[in-house]
Amino acid sequence: MMIKENQSLLTFNTFGIDVNARHFSEVFSPGDLKEVFESHPSASHPHLVLGGGSNILFTSDFPGLVIKVSLKGIEVVEENEREVLVKAAAGEDWDQFVSYCVLHGWGGLENLSQIPGQVGSSPIQNIGAYGAELKDCFESLEAWGKSSGQIRQFSAEACRFGYRDSIFKREARGKYVILSVSFRLGKKSHKLKLGYGAIQAEFQNRGISQPTIADVREVICSLRRSKLPDPHVTGNAGSFFKNPVVEQSVFELLKAEYPGLVAFPDKGGMKLAAGWLIEKAGWKGFREGDAGVHPRQALVLVNYGNANGLEIAALSEKIKDSVRKMFGVELETEVNII
Ligand SMILES: Cc1cc2nc3c(=O)[nH]c(=O)nc-3n(C[C@H](O)[C@H](O)[C@H](O)COP(=O)(O)OP(=O)(O)OC[C@H]3O[C@@H](n4cnc5c(N)ncnc54)[C@H](O)[C@@H]3O)c2cc1C
């Protein structure tokens, strides 16, 4: 277990922000974690646990210790004819894990194909896409308590999953390092989630009437490639903002004024498409220096090369202000600004 000094984080975040960590360590086992925390107690050093860096915006050098989680391994815990319980270590690449499950014919994660990042971060914001969320197949996770030094198991209930939300973004924020996540996946009995309009349209175009799990993955990967910027080419962290949920009455007033407003029912209220609000407020394709709003997807802020985190954060604030002024709606940031 090595601790490096003044490590550049440029290749450790998908926004491509060039900052340094005062100290940096890559951990491969719970034993490494224990050692690193003992040598750098959080009372004297701020800590940041890092996965794939695809949901983070660095606005300055990090003054403490960055712990890059690299625990590996995929294990079948239980299996019968109908389903499988599979456990993946936190440092596994999320999409490689999804691909592994799809190749084995295990269904449940295929709609979450091609989301960047690692398995260990996936429960933190209950990743979701194309009509599915991580919580739909989640069984449990193991996490290392920073203050107790003990490993604790969290059930789905204990994780308190919500829309891009969990206990790890609230009461338990920064208190645990997730070590592994277990999923209960379907075999023959698995029911595909095909309700999302774009998936249906794509299957129609391709003339596929009885899609398999692998077909769903293939269609979603292709849809994502056509809609989202590749972080290897243009720095970004996916959706910068969450879709705001408003009361039905607020939605009706807005809909009367803006008939094109895109929204979906959500727990008694309406979830508004933040991308639509941002586009309508005139930001789609906006660029100032190297910080910008993606020309095809207004929810995605981008770094065209040399923007720094403060410039991107400042742009996000301008967007929030203008959406608030135009629609009276508050946008909440999804990306972790550090
Ligand atoms: C092009 C693109 C598309 C995206 N599309 C989607 C999408 O469709 N749906 C979606 O939900 N998200 C999406 N995202 C966001 C991102 O991929 C997910 O949030 C992902 O789960 C982040 O994983 P990560 O390993 O990169 O996390 P990081 O960015 O490294 O970390 C995110 C947070 O988790 C914490 N953390 C990381 N690992 C651990 C751990 N082991 N234990 C405790 N805390 C930890 C970090 O401290 C930080 O607070 C997208 C991002 C990009 C760049």
Side-chain angles (χ1 to χ4, degrees), residues 282-289 291-295 302 304 315 318-319:
W283 291 99
K284 196 174 185 180
F286 175 88
R287 178 169 177 172
E288 192 169 48
V293 179
H294 195 259
V302 290
Y304 284 106
L315 172 58
K318 286 185 196 166
I319 294 172

Side-chain angles (χ1 to χ4, degrees), residues 5-293:
E5 284 197 25
N6 296 323
Q7 167 73 48
S8 166
L9 297 177
L10 181 61
T11 57
F12 291 97
N13 72 98
T14 60
F15 251 124
I17 303 293
D18 194 4
V19 291
N20 282 349
R22 174 84 181 88
H23 293 109
F24 180 92
S25 183
E26 190 168 3
V27 293
F28 298 91
S29 68
D32 283 353
L33 258 181
K34 189 168 177 289
E35 218 180 302
V36 98
F37 275 92
E38 277 170 6
S39 63
H40 283 69
S42 56
S44 47
H45 298 78
H47 287 155
L48 175 71
V49 179
L50 190 63
S54 65
N55 201 19
I56 279 186
L57 176 65
F58 288 108
T59 53
S60 63
D61 287 338
F62 190 74
L65 172 69
V66 169
I67 300 159
K68 164 79 183 153
V69 174
S70 293
L71 290 82
K72 299 285 182 194
I74 299 176
E75 178 194 345
V76 171
V77 181
E78 273 171 37
E79 189 169 11
N80 61 33
E81 275 184 9
R82 287 183 47 250
E83 55 184 28
V84 58
L85 180 62
V86 58
K87 176 171 161 179
E92 289 290 338
D93 176 82
W94 173 259
D95 190 50
Q96 282 174 18
F97 173 59
V98 175
S99 163
Y100 178 93
C101 295
V102 169
L103 281 174
H104 282 77
W106 305 333
L109 300 178
E110 58 280 1
N111 290 45
L112 305 179
S113 289
Q114 232 184 58
I115 297 181
Q118 298 188 170
V119 167
S121 333
S122 62
I124 292 181
Q125 70 156 4
N126 177 28
I127 55 171
Y130 292 96
E133 282 184 320
L134 172 115
K135 72 171 171 54
D136 305 339
C137 303
F138 176 93
E139 177 78 9
S140 63
L141 64 78
E142 286 175 330
W144 190 81
K146 286 188 188 173
S147 55
S148 68
Q150 302 290 312
I151 296 177
R152 177 180 159 190
Q153 194 160 39
F154 285 77
S155 64
E157 195 189 345
C159 289
R160 299 209 219 126
F161 290 122
Y163 164 56
R164 299 295 181 275
D165 198 26
S166 76
I167 191 168
F168 302 102
K169 288 186 86 172
R170 299 182 180 277
E171 304 90 301
R173 190 182 192 99
K175 294 190 177 155
Y176 292 91
V177 180
I178 295 173
L179 303 174
S180 66
V181 189
S182 297
F183 300 91
R184 195 167 286 280
L185 304 176
K187 290 163 88 176
K188 283 179 195 147
S189 60
H190 176 63
K191 207 168 171 307
L192 297 173
K193 285 194 174 132
L194 305 173
Y196 205 89
I199 302 180
Q200 286 176 2
E202 192 62 25
F203 279 130
Q204 226 162 11
N205 281 345
R206 294 179 183 213
I208 298 176
S209 55
Q210 300 278 312
T212 61
I213 298 168
D215 290 332
V216 175
R217 172 168 167 81
E218 158 54 27
V219 157
I220 284 174
C221 289
S222 128
L223 285 169
R224 291 183 70 98
R225 275 193 297 272
S226 69
K227 289 197 172 145
L228 290 168
D230 176 356
H232 295 105
V233 179
T234 310
N236 76 91
S239 303
F240 201 90
F241 305 101
K242 289 166 70 165
N243 290 317
V245 179
V246 299
E247 288 175 11
Q248 184 71 27
S249 54
V250 173
F251 164 72
E252 276 161 20
L253 285 173
L254 284 170
K255 187 78 179 167
E257 198 172 348
Y258 303 99
L261 177 64
V262 178
F264 311 90
D266 185 273
K267 288 187 201 120
M270 291 296 279
K271 189 186 274 181
L272 310 181
W276 188 91
L277 300 173
I278 297 167
E279 183 176 345
K280 194 76 185 165
W283 291 99
K284 196 174 185 180
F286 175 88
R287 178 169 177 172
E288 192 169 48
D290 272 354
V293 179

